[in-house]
Each structure stands twice: as structure tokens, then as C-alpha cells.
Amino acid sequence: MSTELLSNYIGGRWVGGQGAGTALFDPVLGTELVRVDATGLDLSGGFEFARVRGATALRALTYRQRGELLSAVVQVLQKNRDTYYEIATANSGTVKNDSSVDIDGAIYTLSTFAKLAAQLPDSDFLPDGDAISLAKDGSFQSKHLLTPVAGLALFINAFNFPAWGLWEKAAPALLSGVPVVIKPATSTAWLTHRMVQDVVDAAVLPAGALSVVCGSSAGLLDALQPFDVLSFTGSADTAATIRSHAAITRLSVRANIEADSINSAVLLPGHAPGSAAFDLFIKELSREMTVKSGQKCTAIRRAFVPEQVLPAVSEALIERLKRTTIGNPRNETVRMGSLVSRSQLNSVLEGIEMLATGAELLLDGRRPTLVDADAAVACCVAPTLFSLPTADAVEASTIVHDTEVFGPVATLLPYRELTQSARQVQRGLGSLVVSLYGDDPAALAGTAKALAPFHGRVHIVTPDAGASQTGHGNVMPQSLHGGPGRAGGGEELGGLRALNFYHRRVAIQAAPAVISAF
Ligand code: NAP
């Protein structure tokens, strides 16, 4: 019996694809769950519906009124939360805590933007600075405004955050008055689809404000027009293809790219085993490797430690990682579920092979003992740890600075001096986040400043914030997400800064009486 073919919601109605569909699977049990298909959709017509109907209705509201729409979406999602957990367990193979990062992270981000709306003016544009006189007698002035972009926002998302990935982008877009079309990654599209379906069924957003296309991305970029914006999250290879599309190169569609990132953590010198900073470092590293089986764009891939503590760090970390129970997320004793698909499993196994050609394998997770799951079927990998023996080897290596294995995999990299570790961190060529562990504010601030130009976020963990710190890999809506260089050069979130992407800045030049009429 074939599984349900999910419809697409575009042009204000549910439309099935004309093909047989691509199946989505349970990565633990191997069973087929649903199918998606986007063949034969009228994308141009659907996009126009969003630009005209969706945008007109959204722009008729003020920022504060749109904040109320976000609150209404939050209520819908909260009501259906249990279903989202079931879908995440089935389609992403995640344990409850890991599903929460995605689902509750999405709801929290939306709520944060709903609250931030109260800080915005009760109007339909945002002021940007004061009026400046352009005439000696002040009779002619210039004032900058931010107006919502005139088109729609197309989101092409990665497989690892089907819930959060939608709403962390949609919250600032809708708050700005910009309609949204979401194209989730195929392998985990079901959760995104269900959330859109619940919001559509609840009729809390105007027609055309939210559309979903599940299946192939073919034709999506061709349907973009000059005043649309595109936000992409995924691999560097797909990002390169997207960047070369005529929508970007010829129509100047504004694009935000969030791509690969070889993030780092640095234990500062002078923290012996048993010290608070040392313990926080081990705990965070182990957490980052195992949460969502390491399938987080922000996860720590390179962990820098002073040469003399390398043996103690590897011993403490391995001891902790070995305690991770892996397998079927439906079993309450399991702490880490599976990767999202067989193709991700293959890609992680290939990545481990590749890293093994240039680094020493300290803990090999390729043949894990599983709880309640068949190792021949379940796409599980246990935590896998590599290291290089000396600081000189770290300088000589290329592979550890270049390879993102998108699973529970990290490499320990020794350094002799802090300045040397900072140079090696930079060899990631731009990352989303680096975290620093220590207790000397001056040394931490100095290192943070040196690393700031190469990162979107510098996360500093000191013993006094050990319990309250929000986590190296957790993306908080109040803080910037994105990174320069290899990380894609994008910027998301950062509180109300997120609205910049969905607005255009315009200079109004006029007499003071006209300027004050705005
Ligand atoms: P991917 O293969 O690049 O796919 C990302 C999205 O692009 C999917 O929706 C995919 O659709 C779509 N796509 C594929 N080819 C396309 C094309 N030619 N034109 C337009 N869209 C196309 O990436 P992934 O495997 O899903 O995600 C893993 C990567 O994402 C990792 O490298 C990770 O570092 C990165 N990531 C980054 C962030 C961040 O915030 N920086 C967050 C999460 C993940 P289909 O699924 O239908 O192929």
C-alpha cells in the first residue's frame, strides 16, 4: 500500500504534485512514512498570489498587529505540539530532548519576535535615524526610512531543522509584512508541512501569507522577481549553484546564505583537569557532539586544547561519550537517536573515512551497539573522536580545518600558545560560532576580539555562567546567527536586526513639513 502523498499549499489552495512522489522514511525502522511531490505546480502563479494577496493583506497591518499574528501562530503550534514530536521521532529519528531543540526552539523564536513587535512603532515602515539638513537654512532635509521589500520571501531549508528552520526565518519576514514561501529539505519535509497545514487550517494568517512547496526545488528560483528575497540554508555546493542563478546575478534578488561551518571550541591555558573551566569544556563538547547526533550547523567540529592537557581531555571526553546510549528514540533509556537518513549515514561514514586519512581515530562510532534497533536498518552512528598528536601537526594539517562531517564527530587539536590556536581557528575560513572556556576575563576578551572577524558569534563560558550559559550550539533569537566566509556570509536573527533583510532603506529628501508627514 502506498503512503499518503502530501499536497503543496500555493496560490491559496492545496495542490498535489503530478508525479509519483519521493518517499520519506523512518531512519530507525526503515519504514516509508509519506511522499512529497512538486511536479507541475504553477509556481509563477502561486508566487504572484503571495506577492499580491499575501503582501497586500500583511502590509495593511502595522508591526504591532503583525506581532499579534505571530502570537496566534504560536498558539496553533503549541496546541499541536504532541503531533510534531511524533513526526520528529518518526522522520528525524530524534529523542525527545533533540526534537525539542527544533520544535520548542521554533515556538520560542516565534514568541520572542511576537514580543519584540511591541518595541516597534504602530506604523507600516521603520524610521532609520534622524532627519539631517541638506540646506544651510534647514529648508530641505534628508531622512532615511526602512520599508518592507515589495516581493515575497522564498526559504530553501536544510534537513536538520524542519521546524525551527521555518519559523526562525518566517517570524521576522511576517513581522516585516513579507509573505513567505517555504521549500523544506525533502528528507524531513513532513514536519514543516504539518506545521504549515495547522496554521492554514486555523486561518490565523491572511491568504497568501504562508505557502509550502515540498519536493524538488526545480523552477523555484526561476519564479523569483527583482523585489523578492531568498534565504537559503544548506550545503556550500548548493549555495554556489544558487548564487550563480540569474535571479541573483541578473535580477539582484537579495540572498542570505547559511552554509557549512567548521566551528571551534578553545580551552584557554591554565585549566587543569578537575578545574571548573576544564569540566565545563568537556561537558559542552560532549553535548555538542551528541545533541541531534551532531547534525547541527553550529556543532563543535574542532576542539583546541593546550598540548599538555590533551591526554586528560581525551580521557575525560571519551569516558563521557562512551556513556551515550544510542538507538530507537522511542526507548526512554536512549539518549541519542539516529541520523536523518541513509544518505546522511553514508555521508557521515565517508567523512569519518576521510578524516581518518589525516587524523588519529581515538573513538570509533561506526559500529555502535544499539538499544531497540536493528543495526542493519537504523541510520545510527556513535560519537566518534579524532585527534592530532602535536601543535605542529595541527599547523601541518589541512583536512581537519576543511572537513565538516555532519554527525557526532569532532577532532581534538593541541596548541602551544593561545595566539597559535587563534591562527588555527581562523583556518576554518569563517564559522558560525567559536566558544571559549576559561576564567580570566582579560584573556577571554582578548581572544574573543582576535576571533570576532571570523565568526558570527563568540560564546564565552566562565564558571560564574556555567549553569546559565545558553550553549555553544543553541541559536538564540536575541543573538546573531550566521557567519562570514565558508559559513555563507549570511546574517539571521539578532533580535530586531533580523528585520533588516526584509526591508529596503530609502532616503527621503524633502522640506521639513513633508518629512514630518511620514
Ligand atoms: P543541501 O543538500 O544543500 O540542501 C539544502 C536545501 O537546498 C534543500 O531544501 C534541497 O532540497 C535544496 N536544494 C538542493 N539542490 C538545489 C538546487 N539546485 N537549487 C535550489 N535548491 C536546492 O543541504 P542539506 O544536506 O539539506 O543540509 C546540510 C548542510 O546544511 C550542512 O552542510 C550544514 O552545515 C548546512 N546547514 C547550515 C546551517 C546554517 O545555519 N548555517 C543550518 C543547517 C544546516 P532537497 O532536499 O529536495 O534536495
Side-chain angles (χ1 to χ4, degrees):
M1 201 183 71
S2 65
T3 52
E4 183 192 352
L5 179 65
L6 301 181
S7 283
N8 305 281
Y9 189 72
I10 182 129
R13 63 197 181 95
W14 291 101
V15 199
Q18 287 166 9
T22 305
L24 277 59
F25 291 92
D26 182 319
V28 177
L29 306 178
T31 46
E32 185 176 318
L33 300 167
V34 290
R35 286 169 303 127
V36 294
D37 188 63
T39 320
L41 298 183
D42 174 14
L43 294 173
S44 296
F47 278 26
E48 200 49 26
F49 183 85
R51 279 184 209 109
V52 176
R53 284 284 298 276
T56 306
L58 286 170
R59 303 247 168 86
L61 304 173
T62 65
Y63 291 95
R64 290 190 203 163
Q65 288 169 326
R66 295 195 288 257
E68 286 162 23
L69 293 186
L70 297 189
S71 299
V73 173
V74 166
Q75 281 180 16
V76 173
L77 300 184
Q78 259 161 352
K79 208 171 96 203
N80 294 289
R81 209 167 142 260
D82 290 349
T83 311
Y84 305 147
Y85 271 79
E86 282 163 28
I87 293 176
T89 305
N91 193 195
S92 290
T94 37
V95 294
K96 241 184 182 163
N97 279 347
D98 291 354
S99 303
S100 168
V101 178
D102 190 27
I103 296 164
D104 294 319
I107 295 174
Y108 173 66
T109 302
L110 261 170
S111 323
T112 303
F113 278 96
K115 284 189 196 120
L116 283 171
Q119 295 174 21
L120 294 172
D122 215 8
S123 67
D124 53 3
F125 67 88
L126 297 174
D128 179 32
D130 296 329
I132 310 266
S133 181
L134 300 178
K136 276 195 184 135
D137 62 358
S139 62
F140 197 65
Q141 296 183 333
S142 170
K143 183 168 168 61
H144 289 85
L145 304 178
L146 292 166
T147 66
V149 297
L152 58 76
L154 171 64
F155 302 153
I156 299 182
N157 275 5
F159 64 80
N160 55 342
F161 281 102
W164 177 83
L166 161 60
W167 295 111
E168 61 107 7
K169 294 181 186 195
L174 294 171
L175 186 52
S176 301
V178 178
V180 164
V181 178
I182 169 78
K183 189 286 197 227
T186 296
S187 57
T188 57
W190 191 15
L191 179 52
T192 309
H193 181 276
R194 177 57 67 92
M195 288 180 145
V196 172
Q197 187 183 334
D198 289 340
V199 171
V200 168
D201 287 350
V204 291
L205 293 178
L210 182 62
S211 309
V212 64
V213 175
C214 295
S216 162
S217 56
L220 284 172
L221 297 179
D222 302 329
L224 289 175
Q225 290 193 358
F227 307 114
D228 296 333
V229 297
L230 167 68
S231 182
F232 169 78
T233 301
S235 64
D237 287 345
T238 312
T241 308
I242 284 177
R243 277 202 170 98
S244 64
H245 191 278
I248 317 290
T249 56
R250 297 207 173 270
L251 302 183
S252 303
V253 165
R254 184 187 281 173
N256 190 74
I257 308 271
E258 302 284 348
D260 306 359
S261 180
I262 327 264
N263 311 294
S264 309
V266 184
L267 175 64
L268 268 66
H271 302 285
S275 66
F278 182 97
D279 289 348
L280 286 165
F281 178 76
I282 300 292
K283 195 169 156 197
E284 196 65 17
L285 191 44
S286 155
R287 184 161 63 180
E288 280 298 308
M289 287 177 71
T290 52
V291 169
K292 286 181 73 68
S293 298
Q295 299 168 107
K296 280 192 339 214
C297 50
T298 49
I300 299 169
R301 307 293 177 199
R302 296 176 298 154
F304 291 86
V305 301
E307 236 173 6
Q308 61 277 23
V309 293
L310 177 64
V313 167
S314 50
E315 191 185 325
L317 187 60
I318 289 172
E319 202 267 318
R320 209 178 161 102
L321 291 172
K322 276 188 168 164
R323 284 191 259 140
T324 315
T325 42
I326 302 150
N328 191 333
R330 296 160 185 89
N331 184 309
E332 299 249 305
T333 64
V334 168
R335 290 284 157 271
M336 190 169 99
S338 71
L339 299 167
V340 301
S341 63
R342 188 132 294 268
S343 97
Q344 275 312 301
L345 174 66
N346 291 337
S347 149
V348 167
L349 294 176
E350 274 168 30
I352 292 173
E353 288 283 314
M354 191 149 53
L355 271 182
T357 63
E360 189 189 341
L361 187 51
L362 299 181
L363 181 65
D364 187 349
R366 286 175 289 184
R367 283 189 187 74
T369 306
L370 302 185
V371 178
D372 255 4
D374 177 353
V377 176
C379 304
C380 295
V381 175
T384 298
L385 188 65
F386 287 92
S387 90
L388 289 180
T390 61
D392 291 336
V394 175
E395 300 248 3
S397 173
T398 304
I399 201 162
V400 298
H401 305 292
D402 272 1
T403 312
E404 183 198 46
V405 183
F406 211 62
V409 183
T411 308
L412 296 177
L413 301 172
Y415 69 85
R416 261 191 302 276
E417 283 157 25
L418 196 51
T419 48
Q420 181 206 13
S421 83
R423 271 201 322 277
Q424 297 308 309
V425 168
Q426 291 169 30
R427 291 181 66 196
L429 299 182
S431 301
L432 296 171
V433 52
V434 57
S435 54
L436 310 177
Y437 302 76
D439 58 13
D440 175 350
L444 289 162
T447 309
K449 273 197 257 173
L451 292 175
F454 311 98
H455 296 86
R457 181 158 61 85
V458 182
H459 182 81
I460 302 174
V461 180
T462 48
D464 54 349
S468 58
Q469 63 102 0
T470 47
H472 163 108
N474 273 349
V475 177
M476 304 302 290
Q478 300 84 351
S479 290
L480 186 77
H481 175 59
R486 188 202 301 267
E491 278 196 5
E492 289 179 344
L493 300 173
L496 289 173
R497 290 173 191 83
L499 273 59
N500 281 335
F501 183 68
Y502 302 99
H503 283 76
R504 290 217 73 89
R505 183 171 284 112
V506 59
I508 305 289
Q509 297 181 326
V514 180
I515 296 271
S516 35
F518 275 84

